[in-house]
């Protein structure tokens, strides 16, 4: 019995380090007329390497694509669509991370880290819905996505929003959903069923950020043992009237 305690402690420590590498989330916010990519955890808004934004896609009300440019600034990225979008999605590839012999996380695959142990490749995704009645695209570019099953802009604060969570395009069961990632990023609001469905209460009249993260095993890969995924769905809970 005594020998199991150090093993358990080491296992928990490894999980802690892995969760630390995969801790930050991704979403977008409209600031001063710009659509800014935000990388952080809860209220944190951290600087990041803008080149890690691997793609951005904008759509009009009918679900047709709008050209969008990723403006890569010194400490973050800004999305510049050709015209105001109804829906916007973005992806960030945070790269491969391996824990070295000194227990430090290195932004490289395991094959490039001598005596590397834990290894993970993390990806972040986000969908923003700006306009009522928007036709949602398939989100084929996003490997982890929260898809609202009704128009989230018509639900209202305090009411349930049905969603479906997809991983690699398939319904994902047992995914824990955070209903208010900015204010309470560690509080789970709902969990998906066998069909990937769940109901999340809309928390805010202002910006809502519903989020989820998952770690998946990867087989037969020299560089990583796990794939870490984060995704968010953002929208405004109540229409603003001047």
């Amino acid at each position: 019995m005594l020998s199991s305690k150090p093993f358990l402690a080491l296992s928990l420590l490894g999980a802690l380090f892995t969760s630390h590498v995969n801790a930050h989330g991704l979403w977008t916010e409209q600031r001063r007329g710009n659509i800014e990519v935000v990388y952080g955890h809860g209220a944190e808004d951290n600087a990041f390497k803008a080149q890690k934004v691997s793609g951005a896609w904008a759509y009009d009300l009918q679900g047709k694509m709008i050209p969008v440019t990723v403006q890569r600034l010194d400490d973050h990225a800004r999305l510049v669509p050709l015209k105001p979008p109804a829906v916007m999605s973005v992806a960030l590839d945070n790269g491969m991370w391996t824990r070295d012999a000194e227990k430090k996380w290195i932004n490289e695959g395991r094959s490039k880290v001598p005596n590397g142990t834990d290894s993970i490749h993390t990806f972040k995704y986000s969908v923003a819905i700006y306009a009522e009645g928007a036709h949602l695209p398939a989100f084929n570019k996003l490997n982890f996505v929260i898809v609202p099953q009704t128009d989230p802009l018509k639900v209202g604060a305090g009411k349930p929003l049905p969603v479906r969570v997809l991983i690699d395009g398939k319904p994902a069961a047992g995914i824990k959903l955070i209903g208010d990632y900015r204010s309470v990023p560690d509080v789970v609001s709902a969990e998906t069923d066998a069909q990937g469905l769940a109901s999340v209460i809309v928390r805010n009249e202002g910006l809502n950020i519903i989020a989820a993260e998952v770690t998946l095993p990867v087989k037969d890969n020299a560089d990583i043992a796990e794939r870490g995924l984060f995704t968010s769905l953002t929208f405004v809970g109540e229409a603003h009237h001047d």
Side-chain angles (χ1 to χ4, degrees), residues 144-146 163-167 170-178 188-200 211-216 229 231:
F144 190 29
V145 62
I146 301 168
V163 300
R164 169 168 270 148
V165 178
L166 306 176
I167 295 179
K170 299 178 181 178
I175 301 298
K176 294 178 171 58
L177 291 158
I178 300 164
V188 174
S189 299
E191 184 171 338
T192 59
D193 63 15
Q195 287 74 45
L197 296 169
S199 181
V200 182
E213 59 184 337
V214 66
T215 302
L216 304 172
L229 306 176
T231 192

Side-chain angles (χ1 to χ4, degrees), residues 65-92:
M65 290 192 71
I66 299 170
V68 56
T69 300
V70 179
Q71 187 176 356
R72 303 182 192 277
L73 306 174
D74 290 339
D75 57 359
H76 75 289
R78 178 177 295 158
L79 307 182
V80 186
L82 188 62
K83 62 180 182 178
V87 179
M88 173 79 77
S89 63
V90 62
L92 183 145

Side-chain angles (χ1 to χ4, degrees), residues 26-29 126-130 146 152-159 161 178-184 189 200-211 231-239:
L26 184 79
W27 66 95
T28 57
E29 290 191 23
S126 185
V127 170
I129 299 178
Y130 300 120
I146 301 168
L153 278 68
K154 296 180 180 180
V155 172
K159 298 179 181 179
L161 171 68
I178 300 164
D180 191 355
Y181 186 75
R182 168 179 280 166
S183 298
V184 281
S189 299
V200 182
I201 298 297
V202 176
R203 291 287 302 270
N204 305 309
E205 292 184 1
L207 183 66
N208 286 275
I209 305 172
I210 299 172
T231 192
S232 67
L233 169 68
T234 71
F235 57 92
V236 173
E238 298 283 354

Side-chain angles (χ1 to χ4, degrees), residues 6 30 32 34 42 56 66 69 72 81 99 111 113 123 129-130 143 158 182 186-187 200 211 213-214 217 231 240 242:
Q30 295 195 50
R32 297 172 296 277
N34 299 309
I66 299 170
T69 300
R72 303 182 192 277
R99 192 162 59 152
S111 65
V113 179
F123 301 87
I129 299 178
Y130 300 120
N143 293 330
R182 168 179 280 166
D186 301 311
V187 175
V200 182
E213 59 184 337
V214 66
T231 192
H240 174 71
D242 292 326

